[in-house]
Amino acid sequence: MKFFVDTADLKEIKELAATGLLDGVTTNPSLVAKSGCASFVDLIKEICSIVSGPVSAEVGATDFDTMLEEGRFLAKLAKNIAVKVPLTPAGLKVCKSLSEDGVMVNVTLCFSAAQAILAAKAGATFVSPFVGRLDDIGQNGMQLIADICQIYSNYPEFKTEVLVASVRHPQHVVQAAQIGAHVATIPPKIIMQLFGHPNTDKGLAQFVEDWKKCGQKILP
Ligand code: G3P
């Protein structure tokens, strides 16, 4: 499963890229606003220079003509740009046009299997179902992921990858992997939580203590 990080914070992206675990980045207008960046275009260019995998940059408009113009502009910023468009009739028209031009497209704000079918038919590279926001209203976000993956597996012509988004905790990542989702986009804090287990810390402390008792060295 590919790990994307869900942030527009350059420091966080640089730190996680250094782990070698990062396969891409997703941003959205809320994350960009939170980053406090002075220039969205410069921010996206820098992210694309740090991470070689797909970097999602979302259009700002909602009408077809402007989203298409914005998408074409964003696509020219770097070869690893994935243009993010909302799952609306206009957004999927833009998706079809851009994908036919060979541009990666991430269709975002997906909340149903019906929407995911439309995204695949529109040639999306990725579809982003928001599991956390469904859980937040008492629905079953991970069941949506299972439904979409099952539907997509029925149609070899569907090339769209399921990009699990709105991840709230490590179990969302594990469950997404158990289902077989292609990608999870994970907030930096949750990526770091994936590492943690008290038994690992306890066991390592014991190894360190016992190694010291050996009084030996590995290096000459
Ligand atoms: O970036 C898309 C998605 O991951 C947003 O998640 O936490 O705002 O529901 P969240």
Side-chain angles (χ1 to χ4, degrees):
M1 184 166 78
K2 285 175 272 191
F3 277 15
F4 291 4
V5 64
D6 198 28
T7 184
D9 183 300
L10 282 174
K11 180 173 179 293
E12 289 177 329
I13 292 168
K14 285 174 184 171
E15 286 171 359
L16 284 166
T19 67
L21 295 172
L22 217 45
D23 301 301
V25 181
T26 55
T27 70
N28 65 42
S30 303
L31 291 170
V32 170
K34 187 180 171 187
S35 77
C37 71
S39 162
F40 171 57
V41 170
D42 290 345
L43 172 70
I44 294 300
K45 282 180 182 175
E46 183 153 4
I47 294 173
C48 288
S49 71
I50 298 165
V51 177
S52 60
V55 174
S56 290
E58 190 160 342
V59 296
T62 55
D63 67 288
F64 172 76
D65 291 332
T66 315
M67 280 197 284
L68 185 59
E69 191 177 356
E70 288 178 338
R72 285 178 173 153
F73 176 84
L74 290 171
K76 290 190 177 109
L77 295 180
K79 63 179 178 6
N80 55 326
I81 286 278
V83 175
K84 222 179 189 184
V85 296
L87 211 156
T88 62
L92 292 191
K93 271 179 70 179
V94 171
C95 174
K96 190 154 184 63
S97 182
L98 290 176
S99 59
E100 285 170 352
D101 290 345
V103 173
M104 284 194 287
V105 181
N106 178 358
V107 173
T108 191
L109 289 168
C110 174
F111 293 95
S112 73
Q115 287 181 318
I117 294 169
L118 294 174
K121 288 182 67 64
T125 312
F126 305 105
V127 65
S128 292
F130 281 28
V131 296
R133 294 192 191 185
L134 288 170
D135 290 359
D136 290 347
I137 60 170
Q139 294 185 15
N140 186 334
M142 210 38 80
Q143 184 58 53
L144 173 61
I145 301 302
D147 292 346
I148 296 170
C149 288
Q150 189 270 316
I151 290 166
Y152 281 12
S153 69
N154 293 338
Y155 300 96
E157 68 270 28
F158 282 177
K159 305 302 180 193
T160 302
E161 296 190 353
V162 179
L163 193 166
V164 179
S166 190
V167 167
R168 292 280 190 274
H169 47 69
Q171 272 306 304
H172 271 160
V173 180
V174 172
Q175 290 160 6
Q178 286 170 328
I179 290 167
H182 304 86
V183 190
T185 191
I186 312 166
K189 174 174 171 286
I190 295 171
I191 292 180
M192 296 318 293
Q193 285 176 311
L194 293 172
F195 284 94
H197 195 291
N199 282 5
T200 303
D201 299 341
K202 188 178 171 189
L204 180 58
Q206 188 62 57
F207 285 163
V208 167
E209 185 183 326
D210 291 344
W211 179 246
K212 280 179 184 166
K213 286 176 187 170
C214 287
Q216 299 188 40
K217 287 187 177 181
I218 293 170
L219 298 175

